[in-house]
Amino acid sequence: MFPELNNLLNVTPDTVERGKLTLLCDARTDGSFLVHHFLSFYLKANCKVCFVALIQSFSHYSIVGQKLGVSLSTARERGQLVFLEGLKSSVDVFFQAREQPHPLQFLRESCAGDLRLLYEHVREALQPSDSGDATWRCPVLLVDDLSVLLSLGVGAVAVLDFVHYCRAAVCGELKGNMVALVHDSGDAEDEENDILLNGLSHQSHLILRAEGLATGFCKDVHGQLRILWRRPSQPTAQRDRSLTYQYKIQDKNVSFFAKGMSPAIL
């Protein structure tokens, strides 16, 4: 995890809020560093994590995790991390005969909008049991990223339904948290992506939006991060508070600073 980002969000692994949906969004840049932050944050917070990884392999997340001070292999072996590797699992769905339905079974179905098996996988992974799950602080669902489901032919409404059921189960019933990444393509004609992004934005309690610089590439400033705290149940004038920072990604850390206050400039 990145200590400076924790300071901006005013959180620590010892003070984990529950029942929250966090939306990660990136536009004209790669926001995967936010996924790595929350994955390492919740593992260090001793939470039970179900990670639906549709973009990268387990080894990729494991290598980055080691740089951030967590071992994904150890977490998976002791039952703290349930990792669904989309890249590998999709091959199994197509080319291997299975007696039991697979969470990504929708890839083989004529109707690609049925995500019930994926939801059941999440619910089963995070459901408390008598085998020692009580040692974990709270359950967390992490998805990287939901935009891939749109690329696979799943409609935005079906993805929003999936999020709704996961949020009801994880955030509501189990008193845990949910974190999901969505790409903002910036394409005005991509209606499905706009529906998904807008729908999630209205449900989220916290939105972190990583954006590329409008001026283009800069070796000392890699982008800017907009942080929006939302209280969906409050009137519009009272529910939103936002801050914007610029950032630079380093090997094992990310530094944040106010606009125009990069150490390289000063």
Side-chain angles (χ1 to χ4, degrees):
M1 63 182 179
F2 307 124
E4 290 190 28
L5 183 54
N6 283 342
N7 292 337
L8 297 181
L9 300 177
N10 194 29
V11 296
T12 68
D14 297 325
T15 58
V16 176
E17 291 187 290
R18 298 189 178 193
K20 304 296 183 183
L21 170 60
T22 299
L23 172 63
L24 312 179
C25 177
D26 56 13
R28 306 187 310 276
T29 191
D30 182 7
S32 61
F33 71 95
L34 296 172
V35 175
H36 296 299
H37 166 79
F38 280 98
L39 176 59
S40 59
F41 174 85
Y42 282 117
L43 290 178
K44 288 186 177 182
N46 202 35
C47 296
K48 175 72 175 287
V49 179
C50 176
F51 189 9
V52 180
L54 304 175
I55 288 291
Q56 299 287 353
S57 64
F58 177 83
S59 60
H60 169 81
Y61 295 104
S62 181
I63 291 172
V64 178
Q66 289 178 352
K67 292 183 178 181
L68 300 182
V70 295
S71 173
L72 269 60
S73 298
T74 301
R76 185 165 65 172
E77 289 173 0
R78 66 190 186 126
Q80 184 184 10
L81 174 65
V82 179
F83 191 92
L84 177 61
E85 188 171 352
L87 294 177
K88 181 179 179 180
S89 298
S90 60
V91 176
D92 295 340
V93 170
F94 282 110
F95 299 107
Q96 293 185 12
R98 304 183 64 93
E99 296 181 358
Q100 298 296 328
H102 193 277
L104 301 183
Q105 190 68 30
F106 68 89
L107 293 173
R108 296 192 61 175
E109 304 297 334
S110 57
C111 179
D114 190 353
L115 299 176
R116 284 179 293 179
L117 291 176
L118 183 57
Y119 162 73
E120 291 173 4
H121 168 79
V122 170
R123 185 178 179 86
E124 181 180 352
L126 296 178
Q127 193 71 30
S129 66
D130 298 330
S131 60
D133 282 355
T135 59
W136 311 123
R137 177 173 294 174
C138 68
V140 175
L141 170 61
L142 180 60
V143 184
D144 183 20
D145 70 83
L146 287 173
S147 300
V148 172
L149 296 176
L150 298 181
S151 302
L152 294 173
V154 182
V157 174
V159 178
L160 288 172
D161 287 342
F162 168 72
V163 172
H164 170 77
Y165 280 100
C166 288
R167 186 180 166 209
V170 179
C171 301
E173 181 181 343
L174 301 177
K175 306 301 180 184
N177 295 315
M178 180 175 177
V179 182
L181 174 68
V182 177
H183 290 291
D184 184 356
S185 63
D187 186 355
E189 297 182 357
D190 193 349
E191 296 182 0
E192 290 289 288
N193 191 79
D194 289 342
I195 292 173
L196 177 60
L197 194 56
N198 291 334
L200 291 176
S201 297
H202 286 298
Q203 300 180 49
S204 301
H205 299 86
L206 175 65
I207 302 175
L208 281 74
R209 179 182 174 88
E211 301 174 338
L213 297 175
T215 54
F217 174 78
C218 175
K219 67 176 182 178
D220 297 309
V221 182
H222 293 157
Q224 70 178 17
L225 181 68
R226 299 179 183 271
I227 306 173
L228 177 64
W229 288 269
R230 301 188 68 253
R231 298 175 181 172
S233 60
Q234 298 295 325
T236 304
Q238 303 175 12
R239 71 186 183 192
D240 296 347
R241 180 171 68 91
S242 65
L243 294 172
T244 302
Y245 294 89
Q246 293 180 334
Y247 64 85
K248 179 180 181 180
I249 300 176
Q250 301 163 348
D251 184 40
K252 297 182 179 181
N253 194 22
V254 178
S255 57
F256 296 87
F257 36 82
K259 281 186 174 182
M261 300 297 289
S262 168
I265 298 176
L266 299 177

